[in-house]
């Protein structure tokens, strides 16, 4: 079963389970009401996902949602990730706040860590590759990146 969960819970489990990105943002980020989901099986959470507007300011901020974190317990049932992606897509389409305005979902896969299998299985398409993991700009400094590997962007049109 996939359902909405509090952001604070998703953030805590992300810190425990995420393979390369356990931290999520600054104090400002921690106070945001990000859309978060959890996957439950046998009365236990096995995966969490945190969605927000795209981090890249040049992408549509109201029409797109970015899967910022997707963390899965090591003992999660088989196919948890791809099934959860498919179910979250349906839940976002039906969501009272996002369903009417969001037209595209995006996510970034770390090419050094993952193969993209979960996105393919859930019907997402690969698009651009970001080769620089540094988000810092002179006008907008950011904390040190947790991963500097190239990232494949995946997209799903709603």
């Amino acid at each position: 079963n996939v359902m909405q969960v509090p952001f604070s819970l998703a953030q805590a489990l992300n810190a425990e389970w995420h393979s390369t990105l356990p931290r999520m943002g600054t104090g400002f980020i921690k106070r945001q009401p990000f859309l978060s989901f959890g996957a439950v099986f046998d009365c236990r959470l096995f995966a969490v996902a945190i969605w927000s507007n795209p981090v890249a300011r040049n992408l549509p901020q109201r029409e797109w949602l970015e899967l910022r974190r997707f963390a899965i317990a090591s003992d999660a049932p088989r196919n948890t990730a791809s099934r959860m992606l498919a179910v979250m897509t349906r839940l976002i389409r039906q969501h009272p706040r996002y369903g009417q305005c969001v037209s595209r979902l995006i996510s970034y896969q770390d090419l050094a860590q993952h193969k993209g299998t979960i996105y393919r299985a859930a019907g997402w398409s690969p698009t651009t590759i970001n080769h620089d993991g540094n988000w810092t700009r002179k006008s907008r400094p950011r904390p040190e990146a947790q991963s500097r590997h190239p990232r494949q962007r995946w997209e799903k049109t709603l």
Side-chain angles (χ1 to χ4, degrees):
N1 189 21
V2 177
M3 65 185 83
Q4 270 191 257
V5 298
F7 172 53
S8 58
L9 175 61
Q11 196 173 23
L13 291 174
N14 178 78
E16 185 178 330
W17 295 334
H18 203 286
S19 59
T20 57
L21 302 171
R23 291 190 329 265
M24 180 148 180
T26 62
F28 171 77
I29 295 287
K30 292 176 183 177
R31 293 187 303 273
Q32 297 304 304
F34 290 140
L35 180 62
S36 303
F37 292 98
V40 177
F41 179 74
D42 203 18
C43 297
R44 183 170 159 229
L45 269 168
F46 279 96
V48 291
I50 300 169
W51 296 83
S52 75
N53 59 314
V55 172
R57 301 259 178 189
N58 62 333
L59 296 178
Q61 295 294 303
R62 295 192 196 287
E63 298 85 11
W64 291 19
L65 272 181
E66 179 177 335
L67 179 55
R68 294 277 299 277
R69 295 291 188 275
F70 195 20
I72 300 164
S74 60
D75 59 343
R78 186 168 161 79
N79 301 320
T80 293
S82 54
R83 182 182 179 285
M84 188 172 175
L85 278 172
V87 173
M88 287 188 297
T89 299
R90 288 193 298 275
L91 292 174
I92 290 169
R93 277 188 188 122
Q94 299 166 358
H95 196 279
R97 178 175 173 195
Y98 300 104
Q100 296 298 314
C101 60
V102 173
S103 61
R104 185 173 304 244
L105 304 176
I106 64 171
S107 185
Y108 293 89
Q109 164 215 340
D110 184 329
L111 290 171
Q113 299 287 327
H114 304 286
K115 297 177 183 177
T117 307
I118 64 170
Y119 296 103
R120 264 188 231 296
W124 291 51
S125 301
T127 58
T128 61
I129 294 178
N130 178 333
H131 291 282
D132 182 15
N134 184 9
W135 289 90
T136 294
R137 302 293 179 259
K138 285 182 182 179
S139 63
R140 193 168 183 207
R142 298 275 181 91
E144 175 85 21
Q146 294 176 79
S147 172
R148 301 288 298 263
H149 299 124
R151 293 178 310 275
Q152 170 73 61
R153 185 165 79 204
W154 291 83
E155 299 183 5
K156 176 75 174 174
T157 303
L158 295 183

